[in-house]
PDB file of all heavy atoms in Angstrom:
ATOM      1  N   TRP A   7       0.850   8.328   1.287  1.00 95.00           N
ATOM      2  CA  TRP A   7       1.404   9.666   1.440  1.00 95.00           C
ATOM      3  C   TRP A   7       0.825  10.283   2.699  1.00 95.00           C
ATOM      4  O   TRP A   7      -0.373  10.110   2.983  1.00 95.00           O
ATOM      5  CB  TRP A   7       1.038  10.547   0.246  1.00 95.00           C
ATOM      6  CG  TRP A   7       1.900  10.375  -0.964  1.00 95.00           C
ATOM      7  CD1 TRP A   7       2.484   9.224  -1.405  1.00 95.00           C
ATOM      8  CD2 TRP A   7       2.240  11.390  -1.907  1.00 95.00           C
ATOM      9  NE1 TRP A   7       3.166   9.447  -2.557  1.00 95.00           N
ATOM     10  CE2 TRP A   7       3.036  10.773  -2.903  1.00 95.00           C
ATOM     11  CE3 TRP A   7       1.940  12.739  -2.015  1.00 95.00           C
ATOM     12  CZ2 TRP A   7       3.547  11.476  -3.979  1.00 95.00           C
ATOM     13  CZ3 TRP A   7       2.445  13.433  -3.095  1.00 95.00           C
ATOM     14  CH2 TRP A   7       3.241  12.816  -4.069  1.00 95.00           C
ATOM     15  N   ILE A   9      -0.071  13.804   4.611  1.00 97.00           N
ATOM     16  CA  ILE A   9      -0.293  15.234   4.386  1.00 97.00           C
ATOM     17  C   ILE A   9      -0.377  15.930   5.740  1.00 97.00           C
ATOM     18  O   ILE A   9      -1.136  15.503   6.616  1.00 97.00           O
ATOM     19  CB  ILE A   9      -1.577  15.481   3.581  1.00 97.00           C
ATOM     20  CG1 ILE A   9      -1.484  14.813   2.206  1.00 97.00           C
ATOM     21  CG2 ILE A   9      -1.831  16.981   3.423  1.00 97.00           C
ATOM     22  CD1 ILE A   9      -2.749  14.957   1.366  1.00 97.00           C
ATOM     23  N   LEU A  56       3.877  15.416   2.609  1.00 96.00           N
ATOM     24  CA  LEU A  56       3.489  16.614   1.890  1.00 96.00           C
ATOM     25  C   LEU A  56       2.947  17.631   2.889  1.00 96.00           C
ATOM     26  O   LEU A  56       1.954  17.380   3.577  1.00 96.00           O
ATOM     27  CB  LEU A  56       2.409  16.254   0.870  1.00 96.00           C
ATOM     28  CG  LEU A  56       2.069  17.238  -0.245  1.00 96.00           C
ATOM     29  CD1 LEU A  56       3.295  17.527  -1.099  1.00 96.00           C
ATOM     30  CD2 LEU A  56       0.947  16.667  -1.102  1.00 96.00           C
ATOM     31  N   THR A  89      -7.913  18.857   0.020  1.00 94.00           N
ATOM     32  CA  THR A  89      -8.419  18.252  -1.214  1.00 94.00           C
ATOM     33  C   THR A  89      -7.446  18.461  -2.363  1.00 94.00           C
ATOM     34  O   THR A  89      -7.178  17.545  -3.149  1.00 94.00           O
ATOM     35  CB  THR A  89      -9.798  18.844  -1.570  1.00 94.00           C
ATOM     36  OG1 THR A  89     -10.710  18.553  -0.506  1.00 94.00           O
ATOM     37  CG2 THR A  89     -10.331  18.260  -2.867  1.00 94.00           C
ATOM     38  N   ARG A  90      -6.886  19.656  -2.449  1.00 91.00           N
ATOM     39  CA  ARG A  90      -5.906  19.940  -3.507  1.00 91.00           C
ATOM     40  C   ARG A  90      -4.640  19.108  -3.313  1.00 91.00           C
ATOM     41  O   ARG A  90      -4.068  18.585  -4.273  1.00 91.00           O
ATOM     42  CB  ARG A  90      -5.565  21.428  -3.510  1.00 91.00           C
ATOM     43  CG  ARG A  90      -6.700  22.305  -3.999  1.00 91.00           C
ATOM     44  CD  ARG A  90      -6.386  23.768  -3.824  1.00 91.00           C
ATOM     45  NE  ARG A  90      -7.472  24.630  -4.293  1.00 91.00           N
ATOM     46  CZ  ARG A  90      -7.678  25.862  -3.889  1.00 91.00           C
ATOM     47  NH1 ARG A  90      -6.847  26.410  -2.996  1.00 91.00           N
ATOM     48  NH2 ARG A  90      -8.680  26.572  -4.358  1.00 91.00           N
ATOM     49  N   ALA A  91      -4.197  18.987  -2.066  1.00 92.00           N
ATOM     50  CA  ALA A  91      -3.006  18.173  -1.799  1.00 92.00           C
ATOM     51  C   ALA A  91      -3.270  16.702  -2.132  1.00 92.00           C
ATOM     52  O   ALA A  91      -2.384  16.004  -2.645  1.00 92.00           O
ATOM     53  CB  ALA A  91      -2.591  18.320  -0.338  1.00 92.00           C
ATOM     54  N   THR A  92      -4.467  16.236  -1.845  1.00 93.00           N
ATOM     55  CA  THR A  92      -4.827  14.858  -2.173  1.00 93.00           C
ATOM     56  C   THR A  92      -4.804  14.650  -3.683  1.00 93.00           C
ATOM     57  O   THR A  92      -4.358  13.602  -4.176  1.00 93.00           O
ATOM     58  CB  THR A  92      -6.218  14.518  -1.609  1.00 93.00           C
ATOM     59  OG1 THR A  92      -6.177  14.628  -0.182  1.00 93.00           O
ATOM     60  CG2 THR A  92      -6.639  13.107  -1.991  1.00 93.00           C
ATOM     61  N   ALA A  93      -5.257  15.638  -4.440  1.00 91.00           N
ATOM     62  CA  ALA A  93      -5.221  15.544  -5.898  1.00 91.00           C
ATOM     63  C   ALA A  93      -3.796  15.425  -6.403  1.00 91.00           C
ATOM     64  O   ALA A  93      -3.513  14.653  -7.342  1.00 91.00           O
ATOM     65  CB  ALA A  93      -5.912  16.766  -6.516  1.00 91.00           C
ATOM     66  N   VAL A  94      -2.875  16.152  -5.770  1.00 87.00           N
ATOM     67  CA  VAL A  94      -1.460  16.037  -6.135  1.00 87.00           C
ATOM     68  C   VAL A  94      -0.968  14.615  -5.872  1.00 87.00           C
ATOM     69  O   VAL A  94      -0.276  14.005  -6.709  1.00 87.00           O
ATOM     70  CB  VAL A  94      -0.608  17.051  -5.345  1.00 87.00           C
ATOM     71  CG1 VAL A  94       0.878  16.784  -5.551  1.00 87.00           C
ATOM     72  CG2 VAL A  94      -0.967  18.471  -5.751  1.00 87.00           C
ATOM     73  N   ALA A  95      -1.311  14.068  -4.714  1.00 87.00           N
ATOM     74  CA  ALA A  95      -0.880  12.716  -4.369  1.00 87.00           C
ATOM     75  C   ALA A  95      -1.429  11.674  -5.349  1.00 87.00           C
ATOM     76  O   ALA A  95      -0.740  10.729  -5.726  1.00 87.00           O
ATOM     77  CB  ALA A  95      -1.315  12.387  -2.943  1.00 87.00           C
ATOM     78  N   LYS A  96      -2.671  11.851  -5.761  1.00 85.00           N
ATOM     79  CA  LYS A  96      -3.286  10.889  -6.675  1.00 85.00           C
ATOM     80  C   LYS A  96      -2.590  10.876  -8.027  1.00 85.00           C
ATOM     81  O   LYS A  96      -2.528   9.834  -8.690  1.00 85.00           O
ATOM     82  CB  LYS A  96      -4.770  11.208  -6.848  1.00 85.00           C
ATOM     83  CG  LYS A  96      -5.612  10.883  -5.618  1.00 85.00           C
ATOM     84  CD  LYS A  96      -7.036  11.363  -5.753  1.00 85.00           C
ATOM     85  CE  LYS A  96      -7.802  10.588  -6.806  1.00 85.00           C
ATOM     86  NZ  LYS A  96      -9.219  10.999  -6.863  1.00 85.00           N
ATOM     87  N   VAL A  97      -2.061  12.010  -8.442  1.00 83.00           N
ATOM     88  CA  VAL A  97      -1.319  12.066  -9.705  1.00 83.00           C
ATOM     89  C   VAL A  97      -0.132  11.119  -9.669  1.00 83.00           C
ATOM     90  O   VAL A  97       0.235  10.509 -10.677  1.00 83.00           O
ATOM     91  CB  VAL A  97      -0.860  13.514  -9.997  1.00 83.00           C
ATOM     92  CG1 VAL A  97       0.132  13.552 -11.139  1.00 83.00           C
ATOM     93  CG2 VAL A  97      -2.064  14.397 -10.297  1.00 83.00           C
ATOM     94  N   TYR A  98       0.469  10.976  -8.493  1.00 78.00           N
ATOM     95  CA  TYR A  98       1.636  10.113  -8.342  1.00 78.00           C
ATOM     96  C   TYR A  98       1.257   8.709  -7.864  1.00 78.00           C
ATOM     97  O   TYR A  98       2.081   7.989  -7.293  1.00 78.00           O
ATOM     98  CB  TYR A  98       2.629  10.744  -7.374  1.00 78.00           C
ATOM     99  CG  TYR A  98       3.271  11.988  -7.936  1.00 78.00           C
ATOM    100  CD1 TYR A  98       2.701  13.241  -7.708  1.00 78.00           C
ATOM    101  CD2 TYR A  98       4.419  11.914  -8.719  1.00 78.00           C
ATOM    102  CE1 TYR A  98       3.263  14.394  -8.237  1.00 78.00           C
ATOM    103  CE2 TYR A  98       4.997  13.056  -9.251  1.00 78.00           C
ATOM    104  CZ  TYR A  98       4.410  14.288  -9.004  1.00 78.00           C
ATOM    105  OH  TYR A  98       4.972  15.423  -9.538  1.00 78.00           O
ATOM    106  N   ALA A  99      -0.003   8.333  -8.068  1.00 62.00           N
ATOM    107  CA  ALA A  99      -0.475   6.967  -7.807  1.00 62.00           C
ATOM    108  C   ALA A  99      -0.433   6.581  -6.338  1.00 62.00           C
ATOM    109  O   ALA A  99      -0.237   5.420  -6.007  1.00 62.00           O
ATOM    110  CB  ALA A  99       0.319   5.958  -8.644  1.00 62.00           C
ATOM    111  N   SER A 100      -0.604   7.559  -5.465  1.00 70.00           N
ATOM    112  CA  SER A 100      -0.720   7.216  -4.052  1.00 70.00           C
ATOM    113  C   SER A 100      -2.038   6.494  -3.827  1.00 70.00           C
ATOM    114  O   SER A 100      -3.091   6.939  -4.262  1.00 70.00           O
ATOM    115  CB  SER A 100      -0.685   8.487  -3.192  1.00 70.00           C
ATOM    116  OG  SER A 100      -0.989   8.189  -1.856  1.00 70.00           O
ATOM    117  N   ARG A 101      -1.984   5.377  -3.133  1.00 83.00           N
ATOM    118  CA  ARG A 101      -3.189   4.590  -2.901  1.00 83.00           C
ATOM    119  C   ARG A 101      -3.940   5.027  -1.648  1.00 83.00           C
ATOM    120  O   ARG A 101      -5.125   4.776  -1.523  1.00 83.00           O
ATOM    121  CB  ARG A 101      -2.826   3.106  -2.791  1.00 83.00           C
ATOM    122  CG  ARG A 101      -2.285   2.521  -4.081  1.00 83.00           C
ATOM    123  CD  ARG A 101      -2.057   1.033  -3.947  1.00 83.00           C
ATOM    124  NE  ARG A 101      -1.480   0.483  -5.163  1.00 83.00           N
ATOM    125  CZ  ARG A 101      -1.134  -0.793  -5.311  1.00 83.00           C
ATOM    126  NH1 ARG A 101      -1.306  -1.641  -4.303  1.00 83.00           N
ATOM    127  NH2 ARG A 101      -0.613  -1.228  -6.432  1.00 83.00           N
ATOM    128  N   GLY A 102      -3.228   5.650  -0.740  1.00 93.00           N
ATOM    129  CA  GLY A 102      -3.865   6.073   0.491  1.00 93.00           C
ATOM    130  C   GLY A 102      -3.276   7.379   0.979  1.00 93.00           C
ATOM    131  O   GLY A 102      -2.126   7.713   0.669  1.00 93.00           O
ATOM    132  N   ILE A 103      -4.085   8.100   1.756  1.00 96.00           N
ATOM    133  CA  ILE A 103      -3.675   9.388   2.298  1.00 96.00           C
ATOM    134  C   ILE A 103      -3.812   9.344   3.818  1.00 96.00           C
ATOM    135  O   ILE A 103      -4.863   8.969   4.340  1.00 96.00           O
ATOM    136  CB  ILE A 103      -4.547  10.532   1.757  1.00 96.00           C
ATOM    137  CG1 ILE A 103      -4.361  10.700   0.241  1.00 96.00           C
ATOM    138  CG2 ILE A 103      -4.244  11.839   2.482  1.00 96.00           C
ATOM    139  CD1 ILE A 103      -2.971  11.159  -0.152  1.00 96.00           C
ATOM    140  N   PRO A 151      -9.075   4.122  -0.854  1.00 94.00           N
ATOM    141  CA  PRO A 151      -8.141   4.857  -1.715  1.00 94.00           C
ATOM    142  C   PRO A 151      -8.191   6.366  -1.480  1.00 94.00           C
ATOM    143  O   PRO A 151      -9.134   6.890  -0.899  1.00 94.00           O
ATOM    144  CB  PRO A 151      -8.643   4.507  -3.120  1.00 94.00           C
ATOM    145  CG  PRO A 151     -10.101   4.292  -2.942  1.00 94.00           C
ATOM    146  CD  PRO A 151     -10.238   3.622  -1.603  1.00 94.00           C
ATOM    147  N   ALA A 152      -7.148   7.039  -1.956  1.00 93.00           N
ATOM    148  CA  ALA A 152      -7.071   8.490  -1.817  1.00 93.00           C
ATOM    149  C   ALA A 152      -8.269   9.142  -2.475  1.00 93.00           C
ATOM    150  O   ALA A 152      -8.683   8.767  -3.570  1.00 93.00           O
ATOM    151  CB  ALA A 152      -5.773   8.999  -2.451  1.00 93.00           C
ATOM    152  N   GLY A 153      -8.854  10.112  -1.782  1.00 93.00           N
ATOM    153  CA  GLY A 153      -9.984  10.834  -2.329  1.00 93.00           C
ATOM    154  C   GLY A 153     -11.326  10.160  -2.138  1.00 93.00           C
ATOM    155  O   GLY A 153     -12.330  10.604  -2.704  1.00 93.00           O
ATOM    156  N   LEU A 154     -11.361   9.109  -1.327  1.00 95.00           N
ATOM    157  CA  LEU A 154     -12.601   8.360  -1.135  1.00 95.00           C
ATOM    158  C   LEU A 154     -13.706   9.201  -0.520  1.00 95.00           C
ATOM    159  O   LEU A 154     -14.871   9.102  -0.918  1.00 95.00           O
ATOM    160  CB  LEU A 154     -12.333   7.136  -0.246  1.00 95.00           C
ATOM    161  CG  LEU A 154     -13.548   6.297   0.149  1.00 95.00           C
ATOM    162  CD1 LEU A 154     -14.130   5.595  -1.078  1.00 95.00           C
ATOM    163  CD2 LEU A 154     -13.171   5.271   1.225  1.00 95.00           C
ATOM    164  N   TYR A 157     -13.271  15.801   2.912  1.00 97.00           N
ATOM    165  CA  TYR A 157     -12.790  16.149   4.242  1.00 97.00           C
ATOM    166  C   TYR A 157     -13.732  17.169   4.880  1.00 97.00           C
ATOM    167  O   TYR A 157     -14.312  18.020   4.210  1.00 97.00           O
ATOM    168  CB  TYR A 157     -11.380  16.721   4.167  1.00 97.00           C
ATOM    169  CG  TYR A 157     -10.398  15.807   3.478  1.00 97.00           C
ATOM    170  CD1 TYR A 157      -9.651  16.246   2.386  1.00 97.00           C
ATOM    171  CD2 TYR A 157     -10.224  14.497   3.915  1.00 97.00           C
ATOM    172  CE1 TYR A 157      -8.743  15.408   1.751  1.00 97.00           C
ATOM    173  CE2 TYR A 157      -9.323  13.652   3.279  1.00 97.00           C
ATOM    174  CZ  TYR A 157      -8.591  14.108   2.192  1.00 97.00           C
ATOM    175  OH  TYR A 157      -7.705  13.267   1.573  1.00 97.00           O
TER     176      TYR A 157
END
Side-chain angles (χ1 to χ4, degrees):
W7 278 34
I9 299 177
L56 195 59
T89 299
R90 290 173 180 157
T92 298
V94 171
K96 288 173 68 176
V97 169
Y98 291 91
S100 171
R101 294 185 183 178
I103 295 294
L154 175 67
Y157 304 125

